[in-house]
Structure formats: C-alpha cells, structure tokens
Amino acid sequence: AELVSNNIIQPIPKAQISDYLGGFNYLGATLEKANIIPDPSMSKVRQLISEYCILPMATRDLHEKVPFTKTILFYGTPKSGKTLLSYAVANGVGANFFNLSPRNTDGKYPGKAVQLMIHMIFKVAKTMAPSVIYIDEVEKVFISDKKKMKEFGGMEPFSRIKKELLKEVKALVPGDRVIVIGNSQMPYLCVKKDEKAFMDFFQKHIFFPLPDYASMRILWPGLVEKHSGTLNYEFDLSTLSHISEGYAAGTLNQVVRLMLSERRVEKLERKPLSVREVVNYLCKFEPIRKDVDQALRDWTNKLPYRRPKNPEGAPPPTAEKKGKKKK
C-alpha cells in the first residue's frame, strides 16, 4: 500500500508487443557476411524482447530452467518505442510494474531511507512476481560527476539509488521472476569509469533503430488503421516512406493522431488521404538530428560484443614462458 500511495507501483496502459510496428531487414545476413554489423530491424527488436524478457518470465519452472535476464537496457532516440515495449513486457506476462525512475522517486524516502525503499521494492517484487522494475533515464543513475548531477535538477542526486540497486540485482536468483528494464535516450552521457559500470550493469543491450524504408511501409498503414482511418489503393506509400526518413515511430504516431480527427475520419470516404496532406502535418514535427543518431551508434560500437577481439595493429598475444628466469 505504501508503494502504491507513493506512485511506485503503477497501473500501466494496455500495450502489446505487436503494437511496435516494423519490418524485417532482409539484407542483414548479407551484411554480416561482409563483416558489417547491421542495425537490428524493428522485427528483430520484437523477437529479442520476447526471448529475453517475456518467455523466461512465463512460469517459475521455466525461469529456473532456462537462461534468464536480470537486467536489460532499451536505448535509442526519443519516441522510438522504448516505453511502449516496457509496458508490453509487463502486460505480456501479467507483471506488476514498479517505476524506480529517479524523477519518479525524487523527494520520496530522502537520505538513508533510500536503502529501505530499494529493499522494499525488490522484496515486494519477488513476493508478487512476476515483476518489472522500470528505470527511465537510467544513465543518470550511474553518473558520478557532481557538476552534471546539478544540471539534472531534482531534490536528491539521481545516483542515490545506485549502491543498493547493484546489491539487490546481484541477489536475484532463478525463480524470482523479476527483471530490471532501463530506458535511455543518452547512454553516452556516462564516460570513463561510469561508462564501464553502466555497460556492465546490464546483461543485454537492445538498440531501438529509426524506421527504415521497409518498416515505414508497414508503419504508415498500421498507424492510420489504429486511428480509425484507411489508405486507398491510389495512395503513394512509397513516396511518403522516403519523405519520412529520419522520423521516429512515436513522432509518426503523433502526426496520424493529429491529422485523423473525428471529423476528418468521417470525410475519408469522400476525400481520401493524400501524400500532400500527410506531409503538411509531418512538417510540423522535427526529425531526429543526425548527430543524435550517430552518437547512439558510436556508443553501440563500444559495447563489449562489438569490440574486436584482436584490433588491427595490435600485437598478437604472447604466451608466458614457464619456469624461472636464469640469473
């Protein structure tokens, strides 16, 4: 009751993993053969979240026997679907949703009482399993630079939960059916030792890409249908998919919601949607800046699984000589 009154245990909107619309990257296998690691397609993101988050949490028996994930990071540009799929994980397994985001817990359990808060959240999460512990802006929990901390605002430093969080996550065992989902728009804010601690805390890292052409062709009709509209066979979907390159999926959803008012939906039979009309609404929103997208890609290349085992130019490892050196 205390966690509910403090808005830490929250009701969540209905969301399904299928709400994250997007296609499959058919060139992925070809690129991998050429030693180019492609972005995960939006279809691949759905698949990974099902495998890492939903299936192992289905039953206690299954959680004890199959490899399970304690911590997972969803990172990508704003409005790329991270929160949507966090809700979808909780809905998919019927889990309780604990919001441990620094902004949500700011001012609650001040000072040393933070230890009690973290302990209580994990204890209740295990008792009421399955449970999802959600942390938005999670990169800010790992930043130790005091100047940066002040820029974030808030009554308490965002990093106050870090020590107890690490302790409680370490204590999770098979059968607990508790997963910590971190969301981040700017994982690159963590530098040096903070960066290593941040990367190592999460067992899995899932990058949420911007929609490519194939995904755009699925997204636009899907979003229009979601908001009670239809696209007729004359609609030039190919042109619109090229024009909207660089926009996040959440932004496209806002465009369609704004465009398809109740009155406009009623007129669709007499006046179908045109590319010109959609673009007029699309122009009211900003695409994702290329430097923001590039910063996320650069950070992705620092992840342990992306690092080359023997970087070019590095000397080959030498075997240590056995025995003592002669004097």
Side-chain angles (χ1 to χ4, degrees), residues 78-132:
K79 303 188 189 307
S80 56
K82 302 180 294 296
T83 305
L84 171 72
L85 285 185
S86 300
Y87 293 152
V89 170
N91 280 312
V93 293
N96 294 289
F97 193 83
F98 296 77
N99 190 341
L100 190 52
S101 304
R103 293 196 191 279
N104 187 54
T105 56
D106 191 34
K108 300 166 188 175
Y109 300 93
K112 290 186 178 179
V114 69
Q115 296 177 4
L116 172 66
M117 177 184 75
I118 302 294
H119 178 71
M120 192 191 307
I121 287 172
F122 275 84
K123 188 173 182 180
V124 173
K126 291 175 193 175
T127 306
M128 298 173 66
S131 298
V132 168

Short mmCIF file of all heavy atoms in Angstrom, two decimals, residues 78-132:
data_model
loop_
_atom_site.label_atom_id
_atom_site.label_comp_id
_atom_site.label_asym_id
_atom_site.label_seq_id
_atom_site.Cartn_x
_atom_site.Cartn_y
_atom_site.Cartn_z
N PRO A 78 14.61 9.62 -28.84
CA PRO A 78 13.29 9.87 -28.24
C PRO A 78 12.17 9.35 -29.15
O PRO A 78 12.29 9.40 -30.37
CB PRO A 78 13.24 11.40 -28.13
CG PRO A 78 14.68 11.83 -28.11
CD PRO A 78 15.41 10.85 -28.96
N LYS A 79 11.12 8.85 -28.54
CA LYS A 79 9.91 8.36 -29.24
C LYS A 79 10.18 7.16 -30.15
O LYS A 79 9.52 6.98 -31.17
CB LYS A 79 9.24 9.49 -30.03
CG LYS A 79 8.84 10.69 -29.21
CD LYS A 79 8.02 11.67 -30.00
CE LYS A 79 7.80 12.98 -29.25
NZ LYS A 79 7.25 12.80 -27.91
N SER A 80 11.17 6.35 -29.78
CA SER A 80 11.49 5.19 -30.62
C SER A 80 10.76 3.92 -30.17
O SER A 80 10.93 2.86 -30.79
CB SER A 80 13.00 4.95 -30.66
OG SER A 80 13.52 4.80 -29.35
N GLY A 81 9.97 3.98 -29.09
CA GLY A 81 9.17 2.83 -28.68
C GLY A 81 9.66 2.12 -27.43
O GLY A 81 9.16 1.04 -27.09
N LYS A 82 10.63 2.71 -26.70
CA LYS A 82 11.21 2.06 -25.52
C LYS A 82 10.17 1.87 -24.41
O LYS A 82 10.04 0.78 -23.85
CB LYS A 82 12.40 2.88 -25.00
CG LYS A 82 13.50 3.09 -26.03
CD LYS A 82 14.65 3.90 -25.50
CE LYS A 82 14.31 5.33 -25.16
NZ LYS A 82 13.90 6.14 -26.32
N THR A 83 9.45 2.93 -24.09
CA THR A 83 8.46 2.85 -23.01
C THR A 83 7.31 1.94 -23.41
O THR A 83 6.81 1.15 -22.59
CB THR A 83 7.92 4.26 -22.66
OG1 THR A 83 9.05 5.10 -22.35
CG2 THR A 83 7.00 4.21 -21.46
N LEU A 84 6.88 2.02 -24.67
CA LEU A 84 5.81 1.16 -25.17
C LEU A 84 6.14 -0.31 -24.93
O LEU A 84 5.31 -1.08 -24.42
CB LEU A 84 5.60 1.41 -26.68
CG LEU A 84 4.66 0.43 -27.40
CD1 LEU A 84 3.22 0.68 -27.00
CD2 LEU A 84 4.81 0.54 -28.90
N LEU A 85 7.36 -0.72 -25.27
CA LEU A 85 7.72 -2.12 -25.11
C LEU A 85 8.01 -2.49 -23.66
O LEU A 85 7.91 -3.66 -23.29
CB LEU A 85 8.91 -2.47 -26.01
CG LEU A 85 8.55 -2.60 -27.49
CD1 LEU A 85 9.73 -3.07 -28.32
CD2 LEU A 85 7.39 -3.56 -27.72
N SER A 86 8.35 -1.52 -22.83
CA SER A 86 8.46 -1.79 -21.38
C SER A 86 7.09 -2.16 -20.82
O SER A 86 6.95 -3.10 -20.04
CB SER A 86 9.01 -0.55 -20.65
OG SER A 86 10.29 -0.21 -21.13
N TYR A 87 6.07 -1.40 -21.25
CA TYR A 87 4.69 -1.72 -20.86
C TYR A 87 4.26 -3.07 -21.44
O TYR A 87 3.57 -3.85 -20.78
CB TYR A 87 3.72 -0.64 -21.34
CG TYR A 87 3.87 0.71 -20.68
CD1 TYR A 87 3.50 1.88 -21.36
CD2 TYR A 87 4.37 0.84 -19.39
CE1 TYR A 87 3.63 3.13 -20.77
CE2 TYR A 87 4.51 2.09 -18.79
CZ TYR A 87 4.13 3.23 -19.49
OH TYR A 87 4.25 4.47 -18.89
N ALA A 88 4.67 -3.33 -22.68
CA ALA A 88 4.27 -4.57 -23.36
C ALA A 88 4.84 -5.80 -22.64
O ALA A 88 4.18 -6.83 -22.55
CB ALA A 88 4.75 -4.55 -24.81
N VAL A 89 6.06 -5.68 -22.11
CA VAL A 89 6.66 -6.79 -21.35
C VAL A 89 5.82 -7.08 -20.12
O VAL A 89 5.47 -8.24 -19.83
CB VAL A 89 8.12 -6.46 -20.95
CG1 VAL A 89 8.66 -7.48 -19.96
CG2 VAL A 89 9.02 -6.41 -22.18
N ALA A 90 5.46 -6.01 -19.37
CA ALA A 90 4.66 -6.19 -18.16
C ALA A 90 3.28 -6.78 -18.48
O ALA A 90 2.81 -7.69 -17.80
CB ALA A 90 4.51 -4.85 -17.44
N ASN A 91 2.65 -6.29 -19.54
CA ASN A 91 1.35 -6.81 -19.94
C ASN A 91 1.45 -8.25 -20.45
O ASN A 91 0.56 -9.07 -20.23
CB ASN A 91 0.72 -5.93 -21.03
CG ASN A 91 0.08 -4.68 -20.46
OD1 ASN A 91 -0.66 -4.74 -19.50
ND2 ASN A 91 0.38 -3.52 -21.05
N GLY A 92 2.55 -8.54 -21.15
CA GLY A 92 2.72 -9.85 -21.76
C GLY A 92 2.81 -10.99 -20.76
O GLY A 92 2.42 -12.12 -21.06
N VAL A 93 3.35 -10.69 -19.56
CA VAL A 93 3.48 -11.75 -18.54
C VAL A 93 2.58 -11.50 -17.33
O VAL A 93 2.65 -12.22 -16.34
CB VAL A 93 4.95 -11.90 -18.08
CG1 VAL A 93 5.82 -12.41 -19.19
CG2 VAL A 93 5.51 -10.60 -17.53
N GLY A 94 1.75 -10.44 -17.42
CA GLY A 94 0.87 -10.11 -16.30
C GLY A 94 1.65 -9.67 -15.08
O GLY A 94 1.33 -10.03 -13.94
N ALA A 95 2.72 -8.88 -15.30
CA ALA A 95 3.61 -8.49 -14.22
C ALA A 95 3.17 -7.20 -13.53
O ALA A 95 2.47 -6.37 -14.12
CB ALA A 95 5.03 -8.30 -14.77
N ASN A 96 3.59 -7.05 -12.28
CA ASN A 96 3.44 -5.78 -11.58
C ASN A 96 4.52 -4.83 -12.06
O ASN A 96 5.64 -5.26 -12.36
CB ASN A 96 3.56 -5.99 -10.07
CG ASN A 96 2.43 -6.82 -9.51
OD1 ASN A 96 1.30 -6.39 -9.44
ND2 ASN A 96 2.74 -8.07 -9.13
N PHE A 97 4.20 -3.55 -12.13
CA PHE A 97 5.10 -2.55 -12.72
C PHE A 97 5.57 -1.57 -11.64
O PHE A 97 4.77 -0.82 -11.09
CB PHE A 97 4.36 -1.80 -13.84
CG PHE A 97 5.24 -0.98 -14.73
CD1 PHE A 97 5.91 -1.55 -15.80
CD2 PHE A 97 5.40 0.38 -14.52
CE1 PHE A 97 6.71 -0.80 -16.64
CE2 PHE A 97 6.20 1.16 -15.35
CZ PHE A 97 6.86 0.56 -16.41
N PHE A 98 6.87 -1.63 -11.33
CA PHE A 98 7.46 -0.76 -10.32
C PHE A 98 8.27 0.32 -11.04
O PHE A 98 9.21 0.00 -11.76
CB PHE A 98 8.40 -1.55 -9.40
CG PHE A 98 7.70 -2.60 -8.57
CD1 PHE A 98 7.32 -3.82 -9.13
CD2 PHE A 98 7.45 -2.39 -7.22
CE1 PHE A 98 6.69 -4.79 -8.38
CE2 PHE A 98 6.82 -3.37 -6.45
CZ PHE A 98 6.44 -4.57 -7.03
N ASN A 99 7.91 1.58 -10.84
CA ASN A 99 8.62 2.68 -11.51
C ASN A 99 9.67 3.26 -10.56
O ASN A 99 9.37 4.04 -9.67
CB ASN A 99 7.64 3.77 -11.93
CG ASN A 99 8.28 4.80 -12.84
OD1 ASN A 99 9.51 4.93 -12.89
ND2 ASN A 99 7.48 5.55 -13.56
N LEU A 100 10.91 2.85 -10.77
CA LEU A 100 12.03 3.28 -9.93
C LEU A 100 12.81 4.42 -10.59
O LEU A 100 13.93 4.72 -10.21
CB LEU A 100 12.94 2.08 -9.65
CG LEU A 100 14.05 2.20 -8.60
CD1 LEU A 100 13.52 2.71 -7.27
CD2 LEU A 100 14.76 0.88 -8.42
N SER A 101 12.23 5.09 -11.57
CA SER A 101 12.91 6.18 -12.26
C SER A 101 13.27 7.29 -11.27
O SER A 101 12.46 7.61 -10.39
CB SER A 101 12.00 6.76 -13.36
OG SER A 101 11.60 5.75 -14.25
N PRO A 102 14.48 7.87 -11.41
CA PRO A 102 14.91 8.91 -10.45
C PRO A 102 13.92 10.06 -10.30
O PRO A 102 13.70 10.56 -9.20
CB PRO A 102 16.24 9.39 -11.03
CG PRO A 102 16.74 8.25 -11.83
CD PRO A 102 15.54 7.57 -12.38
N ARG A 103 13.31 10.49 -11.42
CA ARG A 103 12.35 11.61 -11.33
C ARG A 103 11.07 11.20 -10.60
O ARG A 103 10.41 12.02 -9.98
CB ARG A 103 12.02 12.14 -12.73
CG ARG A 103 13.20 12.81 -13.40
CD ARG A 103 12.80 13.66 -14.58
NE ARG A 103 13.99 14.06 -15.33
CZ ARG A 103 14.79 15.06 -15.00
NH1 ARG A 103 14.54 15.78 -13.92
NH2 ARG A 103 15.85 15.35 -15.74
N ASN A 104 10.72 9.91 -10.70
CA ASN A 104 9.50 9.43 -10.03
C ASN A 104 9.71 9.26 -8.53
O ASN A 104 8.79 9.44 -7.74
CB ASN A 104 9.05 8.10 -10.65
CG ASN A 104 7.72 7.63 -10.11
OD1 ASN A 104 6.73 8.36 -10.15
ND2 ASN A 104 7.68 6.42 -9.58
N THR A 105 10.94 8.91 -8.13
CA THR A 105 11.22 8.66 -6.70
C THR A 105 11.85 9.89 -6.02
O THR A 105 12.13 9.85 -4.83
CB THR A 105 12.18 7.46 -6.54
OG1 THR A 105 13.38 7.69 -7.30
CG2 THR A 105 11.53 6.18 -7.03
N ASP A 106 12.06 10.96 -6.78
CA ASP A 106 12.69 12.16 -6.22
C ASP A 106 11.84 12.74 -5.08
O ASP A 106 10.64 12.95 -5.24
CB ASP A 106 12.88 13.22 -7.31
CG ASP A 106 13.76 14.36 -6.86
OD1 ASP A 106 14.69 14.11 -6.08
OD2 ASP A 106 13.51 15.51 -7.28
N GLY A 107 12.47 12.98 -3.95
CA GLY A 107 11.75 13.54 -2.80
C GLY A 107 11.08 12.49 -1.94
O GLY A 107 10.57 12.80 -0.85
N LYS A 108 11.05 11.23 -2.40
CA LYS A 108 10.46 10.15 -1.62
C LYS A 108 11.57 9.36 -0.93
O LYS A 108 12.59 9.08 -1.55
CB LYS A 108 9.64 9.22 -2.52
CG LYS A 108 8.50 9.93 -3.25
CD LYS A 108 7.94 9.09 -4.38
CE LYS A 108 6.93 9.89 -5.21
NZ LYS A 108 6.46 9.15 -6.38
N TYR A 109 11.38 9.01 0.30
CA TYR A 109 12.38 8.29 1.09
C TYR A 109 13.73 9.01 1.04
O TYR A 109 14.72 8.49 0.52
CB TYR A 109 12.54 6.85 0.58
CG TYR A 109 11.27 6.05 0.63
CD1 TYR A 109 10.42 5.99 -0.48
CD2 TYR A 109 10.91 5.35 1.78
CE1 TYR A 109 9.24 5.25 -0.43
CE2 TYR A 109 9.72 4.61 1.83
CZ TYR A 109 8.90 4.56 0.71
OH TYR A 109 7.74 3.84 0.75
N PRO A 110 13.81 10.24 1.56
CA PRO A 110 15.06 11.02 1.47
C PRO A 110 16.16 10.46 2.36
O PRO A 110 15.91 9.70 3.30
CB PRO A 110 14.63 12.42 1.94
CG PRO A 110 13.44 12.18 2.82
CD PRO A 110 12.75 10.99 2.26
N GLY A 111 17.39 10.86 2.04
CA GLY A 111 18.55 10.46 2.85
C GLY A 111 18.77 8.96 2.87
O GLY A 111 18.67 8.28 1.85
N LYS A 112 19.04 8.43 4.08
CA LYS A 112 19.33 7.00 4.21
C LYS A 112 18.11 6.12 4.02
O LYS A 112 18.23 4.90 3.88
CB LYS A 112 19.95 6.73 5.59
CG LYS A 112 21.35 7.30 5.74
CD LYS A 112 21.99 6.91 7.05
CE LYS A 112 23.42 7.45 7.15
NZ LYS A 112 24.04 7.08 8.45
N ALA A 113 16.92 6.71 4.00
CA ALA A 113 15.68 5.94 3.80
C ALA A 113 15.63 5.33 2.40
O ALA A 113 14.80 4.45 2.14
CB ALA A 113 14.46 6.83 4.02
N VAL A 114 16.54 5.77 1.51
CA VAL A 114 16.57 5.21 0.15
C VAL A 114 16.89 3.71 0.20
O VAL A 114 16.41 2.93 -0.63
CB VAL A 114 17.59 5.97 -0.74
CG1 VAL A 114 19.02 5.70 -0.31
CG2 VAL A 114 17.41 5.58 -2.20
N GLN A 115 17.69 3.29 1.19
CA GLN A 115 18.01 1.87 1.34
C GLN A 115 16.75 1.07 1.61
O GLN A 115 16.54 -0.02 1.05
CB GLN A 115 19.00 1.67 2.49
CG GLN A 115 20.35 2.33 2.26
CD GLN A 115 21.29 2.17 3.44
OE1 GLN A 115 20.97 1.50 4.42
NE2 GLN A 115 22.45 2.80 3.36
N LEU A 116 15.89 1.62 2.49
CA LEU A 116 14.62 0.96 2.80
C LEU A 116 13.74 0.87 1.55
O LEU A 116 13.12 -0.17 1.29
CB LEU A 116 13.89 1.75 3.90
CG LEU A 116 12.46 1.31 4.23
CD1 LEU A 116 12.46 -0.09 4.83
CD2 LEU A 116 11.79 2.29 5.18
N MET A 117 13.71 1.95 0.76
CA MET A 117 12.88 1.99 -0.44
C MET A 117 13.30 0.89 -1.43
O MET A 117 12.45 0.12 -1.91
CB MET A 117 12.99 3.36 -1.12
CG MET A 117 12.20 3.46 -2.43
SD MET A 117 12.42 5.04 -3.29
CE MET A 117 14.06 4.84 -3.98
N ILE A 118 14.60 0.81 -1.73
CA ILE A 118 15.09 -0.18 -2.70
C ILE A 118 14.84 -1.60 -2.19
O ILE A 118 14.36 -2.47 -2.92
CB ILE A 118 16.59 0.02 -2.99
CG1 ILE A 118 16.87 1.42 -3.52
CG2 ILE A 118 17.09 -1.03 -3.97
CD1 ILE A 118 16.29 1.72 -4.87
N HIS A 119 15.13 -1.81 -0.90
CA HIS A 119 14.93 -3.15 -0.31
C HIS A 119 13.46 -3.54 -0.37
O HIS A 119 13.11 -4.67 -0.73
CB HIS A 119 15.42 -3.15 1.14
CG HIS A 119 15.21 -4.45 1.84
ND1 HIS A 119 15.94 -5.59 1.52
CD2 HIS A 119 14.33 -4.82 2.81
CE1 HIS A 119 15.51 -6.59 2.28
NE2 HIS A 119 14.54 -6.15 3.07
N MET A 120 12.58 -2.59 -0.05
CA MET A 120 11.14 -2.85 -0.05
C MET A 120 10.64 -3.17 -1.46
O MET A 120 9.86 -4.10 -1.66
CB MET A 120 10.39 -1.61 0.49
CG MET A 120 8.92 -1.86 0.80
SD MET A 120 8.02 -0.33 1.14
CE MET A 120 9.01 0.42 2.42
N ILE A 121 11.11 -2.39 -2.46
CA ILE A 121 10.67 -2.60 -3.85
C ILE A 121 11.04 -4.01 -4.31
O ILE A 121 10.21 -4.73 -4.87
CB ILE A 121 11.29 -1.54 -4.78
CG1 ILE A 121 10.60 -0.18 -4.56
CG2 ILE A 121 11.17 -1.95 -6.24
CD1 ILE A 121 11.27 0.97 -5.28
N PHE A 122 12.27 -4.42 -4.08
CA PHE A 122 12.70 -5.74 -4.54
C PHE A 122 12.03 -6.87 -3.75
O PHE A 122 11.71 -7.92 -4.32
CB PHE A 122 14.23 -5.86 -4.47
CG PHE A 122 14.93 -5.31 -5.68
CD1 PHE A 122 15.20 -3.95 -5.80
CD2 PHE A 122 15.28 -6.14 -6.74
CE1 PHE A 122 15.82 -3.44 -6.93
CE2 PHE A 122 15.90 -5.65 -7.87
CZ PHE A 122 16.17 -4.29 -7.96
N LYS A 123 11.81 -6.65 -2.45
CA LYS A 123 11.16 -7.68 -1.64
C LYS A 123 9.71 -7.89 -2.11
O LYS A 123 9.26 -9.02 -2.29
CB LYS A 123 11.18 -7.27 -0.17
CG LYS A 123 10.70 -8.37 0.77
CD LYS A 123 10.89 -7.99 2.22
CE LYS A 123 10.44 -9.13 3.13
NZ LYS A 123 10.60 -8.79 4.56
N VAL A 124 9.00 -6.77 -2.32
CA VAL A 124 7.61 -6.86 -2.79
C VAL A 124 7.56 -7.43 -4.21
O VAL A 124 6.69 -8.22 -4.55
CB VAL A 124 6.92 -5.47 -2.72
CG1 VAL A 124 5.53 -5.52 -3.36
CG2 VAL A 124 6.81 -4.99 -1.28
N ALA A 125 8.53 -7.02 -5.06
CA ALA A 125 8.58 -7.50 -6.45
C ALA A 125 8.74 -9.02 -6.49
O ALA A 125 8.10 -9.70 -7.30
CB ALA A 125 9.73 -6.83 -7.19
N LYS A 126 9.59 -9.57 -5.60
CA LYS A 126 9.78 -11.03 -5.56
C LYS A 126 8.52 -11.73 -5.04
O LYS A 126 8.12 -12.78 -5.55
CB LYS A 126 10.97 -11.38 -4.65
CG LYS A 126 12.32 -10.97 -5.21
CD LYS A 126 13.41 -11.26 -4.18
CE LYS A 126 14.72 -10.60 -4.54
NZ LYS A 126 15.73 -10.79 -3.48
N THR A 127 7.90 -11.14 -4.02
CA THR A 127 6.70 -11.74 -3.41
C THR A 127 5.54 -11.74 -4.40
O THR A 127 4.75 -12.69 -4.45
CB THR A 127 6.29 -10.95 -2.14
OG1 THR A 127 7.41 -10.89 -1.26
CG2 THR A 127 5.13 -11.62 -1.43
N MET A 128 5.41 -10.65 -5.18
CA MET A 128 4.29 -10.50 -6.12
C MET A 128 4.68 -10.85 -7.55
O MET A 128 4.08 -10.39 -8.50
CB MET A 128 3.76 -9.06 -6.06
CG MET A 128 3.22 -8.66 -4.70
SD MET A 128 2.80 -6.91 -4.63
CE MET A 128 1.44 -6.83 -5.80
N ALA A 129 5.74 -11.65 -7.71
CA ALA A 129 6.26 -11.99 -9.05
C ALA A 129 5.17 -12.61 -9.92
O ALA A 129 4.26 -13.25 -9.40
CB ALA A 129 7.43 -12.95 -8.90
N PRO A 130 5.27 -12.40 -11.27
CA PRO A 130 6.35 -11.71 -12.00
C PRO A 130 6.27 -10.19 -11.84
O PRO A 130 5.18 -9.64 -11.69
CB PRO A 130 6.10 -12.13 -13.45
CG PRO A 130 4.63 -12.40 -13.52
CD PRO A 130 4.25 -12.96 -12.18
N SER A 131 7.44 -9.54 -11.88
CA SER A 131 7.51 -8.09 -11.70
C SER A 131 8.51 -7.47 -12.66
O SER A 131 9.55 -8.06 -12.96
CB SER A 131 7.92 -7.76 -10.26
OG SER A 131 6.98 -8.25 -9.34
N VAL A 132 8.17 -6.26 -13.10
CA VAL A 132 9.07 -5.45 -13.93
C VAL A 132 9.45 -4.23 -13.11
O VAL A 132 8.58 -3.50 -12.62
CB VAL A 132 8.38 -5.01 -15.24
CG1 VAL A 132 9.21 -3.94 -15.95
CG2 VAL A 132 8.18 -6.19 -16.17
#
